[in-house]
Structure formats: structure tokens, C-alpha cells
């Protein structure tokens, strides 16, 4: 679909097909951000967002030996691990000194870094990419400190932006994303939107769990059985790397009025940190032992008073 005629309630496709609608759902997702550095358009430089990107990564892994992944977030780590398992020598480049800096504290990130390094990944933290070099194909990545990393494949996993071009061209109200209310309705009552393209109460989304919940709420309203309203709830982050157990949820940074409960067991490779405020859990970071992650998320969402069991909280639900 390349255009929406809101007055006549019709959509137009690139091939010339025109279709009417009673109500319309926009779920255009997001586009990967690409660093604005010299060489970003060289062959072999890709984002990581869809199946086509995966096919290009698999093709490169079959034909080349060295890869660099820019971005130490969830997608970047999962891409780097996947390429490494395909036999490539992989360098993971991250601007921050903390991997998964939106989900982990420094201690858990250090444990993760050691696990990834043990798998053969080369980590470069506090590393700023300033240029990509090559001819017919990308050949190397240059860092701000002058280091040069040889790579025939560069994967950029540095973030996303909502894909709102179609909605904007139709005159729908957009800010960072397509602005929707609690029923996932846009400013046009006949048009709804869900997923990474939307902005709800100033928040945008990059994980799948909120999109599932938005779809459930929106489907009820599209079926004229809708009473539910979407509200942003705490969702957990899990790293999909076999053999590394990691779970994060809520406010892991804490702040004024918060306190930390911490368990460290270096021999077993276990680290747990719960952030409490007024005897209520507001955040959790788990590494190495995540079986109680779902329970901690329930406590975060419910705002339950955990004062009576705070001395046992770190040992899990069975002890509480």
C-alpha cells in the first residue's frame, strides 16, 4: 500500500490495486537506524530487522570469514552470537562500557561479557565507529581511537525508528510514532495502529510483548466487542542466546528512595539484584538463575508489599 484516501476510505497499492475499508489497521513496524558514517552504503553493510537481513547474513557467513556487529543491545548480541555459530570471526562494537545498557547493570553486563568472550566473540566497549572502508564490498571498520577492524560483513544494530511515512502521507497525527489512544485508535476514528509504528502516551516500542497486547486490545475493538484499553505494563527482557540465562524487568537503575538487594555467587555464575522502593519491587536483574523471573515481574506489576519476606526474596518464590 502506497497511499490511503481517508475521505473515500480506500487504500491504493503500488501495483494499482485499490481496495475499500470500513476500518483500517496500520502495522508498518519500524526501520533500522543506520549510522551516518562514511561507507555506510557499501555492499556488505546491513541492518538487522527482517528475514531479508537474515538471508543476507547467512549468505555472507557462507562466503566470508570476518564480521563486525555495531551495537551491544539485544539484537546486536543475538546477531553476533548467530554469526559466530556460523563460523565467522565476530567483533562486537558498542559505544557504552556496559552491554545491554538499557536492561543490565554493570555487574551483570560484566558477567555477560565474560560469557560472550568465552564463546569467541571479540568485544570492543567504549568504541565509536567513525567510518567504514572498502571498494566493491566493505572491508574494514574504523574506530575513533584509530583502530581498524577487518570485516567483510558489518551489521548495524543501533536502534530503530517507527515507520510512519504512510501514515504521515495520509495526514494522520504523528510525532515519533503514529499517535494512538488507549483503544489503539488514531486521530481518525476509522484507523487503528499497533506495534513498533505507534506512540502511546509518549512511549514507543521495540519489543514483541507490547505489540501482542496491543493486538489483543485492538482486535476486540475492530470486532466491535472492545471494552479493554491498552496500558503500558512492565515487560521482561530475555536474551535469546543458548546457554546464557539473563532476565531483566522494571526500573533497574533505581534512584532516590530505592534500595538494592543483591546476591552474588561467582562460583555458579549467578547474580541477582532486586530494586525496592517502599517495600515494593520496582526492578529486577537476574543472571545465571532466572527461574523466578516471572514471579518477580508479577510482584512488580501488582505493587505487592514484600516487607514480610524481604530477607528471603533473593532465594526465590519457593523460599517465600
Amino acid at each position: 500500500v502506497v497511499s490511503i484516501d481517508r475521505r473515500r476510505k480506500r487504500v491504493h497499492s503500488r501495483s494499482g490495486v485499490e481496495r475499500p475499508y470500513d476500518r483500517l489497521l496500520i502495522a508498518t513496524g519500524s526501520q533500522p537506524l543506520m549510522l551516518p558514517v562514511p561507507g555506510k552504503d557499501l555492499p556488505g553493510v546491513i541492518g538487522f530487522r527482517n528475514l531479508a537481513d537474515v538471508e543476507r547474513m547467512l549468505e555472507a557467513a557462507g562466503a566470508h570469514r570476518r564480521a563486525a556487529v555495531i551495537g551491544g543491545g539485544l539484537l546486536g548480541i543475538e546477531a553476533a552470537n548467530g554469526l559466530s555459530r556460523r563460523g565467522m570471526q565476530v567483533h562486537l562494537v558498542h559505544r557504552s562500557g556496559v552491554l545491554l545498557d538499557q536492561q543490565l547493570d554493570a555487574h551483570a553486563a560484566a558477567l555477560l561479557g565474560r560469557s560472550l568472550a568465552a564463546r569467541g566473540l571479540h568485544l570492543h566497549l567504549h568504541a565509536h565507529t567513525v567510518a567504514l572502508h572498502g571498494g566493491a564490498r566493505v572491508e574494514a571498520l574504523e574506530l575513533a581511537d584509530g583502530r581498524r577492524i577487518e570485516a567483510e560483513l558489518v551489521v548495524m544494530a543501533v536502534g530503530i525508528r517507527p515507520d510512519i511515512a504512510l501514515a504521515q502521507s495520509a495526514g494522520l497525527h504523528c510525532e515519533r510514532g503514529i499517535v494512538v489512544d488507549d483503544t489503539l485508535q488514531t486521530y481518525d476514528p476509522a484507523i487503528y495502529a499497533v506495534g513498533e509504528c505507534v506512540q502511546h502516551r509518549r512511549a514507543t516500542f521495540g519489543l514483541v510483548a507490547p505489540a501482542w497486547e496491543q493486538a489483543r486490545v485492538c482486535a476486540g475493538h475492530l470486532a466491535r466487542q472492545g471494552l479493554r484499553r491498552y496500558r503500558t505494563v512492565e515487560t521482561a527482557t530475555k536474551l535469546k542466546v543458548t546457554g546464557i540465562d539473563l532476565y531483566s524487568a522494571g526500573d533497574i537503575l533505581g534512584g532516590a528512595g530505592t534500595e538494592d538487594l543483591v546476591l552474588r555467587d561467582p562460583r555458579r555464575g549467578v547474580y541477582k539484584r532486586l530494586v525496592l522502593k517502599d517495600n515494593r519491587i520496582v526492578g529486577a536483574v537476574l543472571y545465571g538463575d532466572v527461574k523466578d523471573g516471572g514471579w518477580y515481574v508479577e510482584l512488580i506489576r501488582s505493587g505487592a508489599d514484600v516487607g514480610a519476606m524481604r530477607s528471603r526474596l533473593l532465594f526465590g518464590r519457593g523460599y517465600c
Side-chain angles (χ1 to χ4, degrees):
V1 172
V2 293
S3 66
I4 301 168
D5 184 339
R6 290 167 51 204
R7 185 180 61 82
R8 296 174 58 230
K9 289 191 174 181
R10 302 184 79 83
V11 295
H12 303 266
S13 78
R14 181 177 289 111
S15 60
V17 175
E18 182 179 310
R19 288 286 184 269
Y21 66 85
D22 298 307
R23 282 173 297 167
L24 180 67
L25 172 61
I26 299 176
T28 45
S30 62
Q31 294 291 334
L33 292 173
M34 303 296 283
L35 291 179
V37 297
K40 67 180 178 63
D41 297 319
L42 283 169
V45 180
I46 64 173
F48 180 26
R49 205 64 199 157
N50 55 36
L51 285 174
D53 295 330
V54 174
E55 292 295 337
R56 293 163 71 187
M57 290 165 68
L58 292 173
E59 181 182 343
H64 302 284
R65 190 171 62 86
R66 297 168 298 191
V69 177
I70 304 174
L74 284 168
L75 279 182
I77 292 172
E78 288 167 7
N81 180 70
L83 291 169
S84 178
R85 291 181 63 187
R86 284 273 167 175
M88 297 192 83
Q89 180 188 95
V90 181
H91 295 263
L92 181 61
V93 179
H94 190 44
R95 287 181 62 116
S96 169
V98 178
L99 293 171
L100 288 177
D101 45 350
Q102 299 298 309
Q103 290 88 16
L104 296 184
D105 59 21
H107 192 88
L111 290 173
L112 173 61
R114 286 199 285 272
S115 295
L116 294 175
R119 289 164 174 252
L121 268 62
H122 302 275
L123 304 181
H124 305 269
L125 303 180
H126 294 297
H128 300 255
T129 303
V130 294
L132 303 173
H133 301 284
R137 184 181 183 88
V138 66
E139 298 171 2
L141 179 152
E142 181 185 343
L143 301 180
D145 60 10
R147 283 181 293 162
R148 185 181 172 102
I149 298 171
E150 306 297 321
E152 296 90 10
L153 171 69
V154 174
V155 180
M156 292 196 188
V158 294
I160 59 173
R161 65 172 182 274
D163 191 343
I164 60 176
L166 179 65
Q168 283 180 315
S169 68
L172 293 173
H173 179 56
C174 299
E175 292 175 4
R176 286 183 300 153
I178 305 169
V179 177
V180 296
D181 64 14
D182 291 352
T183 68
L184 286 309
Q185 192 178 67
T186 70
Y187 274 54
D188 183 329
I191 301 180
Y192 295 74
V194 300
E196 293 179 350
C197 64
V198 310
Q199 177 179 323
H200 173 261
R201 295 181 182 263
R202 299 191 177 183
T204 54
F205 307 91
L207 298 174
V208 72
W212 283 338
E213 181 59 23
Q214 289 169 11
R216 278 190 283 268
V217 172
C218 186
H221 289 281
L222 289 173
R224 300 192 188 281
Q225 298 171 353
L227 296 174
R228 299 176 65 187
R229 294 184 175 271
Y230 177 73
R231 61 186 182 92
T232 303
V233 297
E234 295 296 345
T235 56
T237 297
K238 299 179 186 178
L239 183 66
K240 293 187 285 291
V241 172
T242 303
I244 297 180
D245 294 318
L246 184 155
Y247 200 97
S248 170
D251 177 11
I252 65 161
L253 298 177
T258 65
E259 53 184 327
D260 293 350
L261 301 181
V262 178
L263 180 151
R264 291 187 180 92
D265 187 342
R267 186 182 296 273
R268 293 172 55 221
V270 171
Y271 171 77
K272 299 181 182 182
R273 175 167 161 261
L274 301 177
V275 182
L276 272 64
K277 185 172 185 178
D278 299 327
N279 278 334
R280 288 169 173 78
I281 300 179
V282 296
V285 178
L286 311 177
Y287 187 93
D289 178 3
V290 301
K291 63 180 180 295
D292 289 299
W295 180 56
Y296 291 134
V297 171
E298 289 176 20
L299 294 174
I300 293 172
R301 289 177 178 172
S302 67
D305 189 317
V306 296
M309 53 184 173
R310 60 175 287 142
S311 63
R312 302 184 301 279
L313 272 174
L314 286 168
F315 301 103
R317 189 171 198 165
Y319 285 86
C320 296

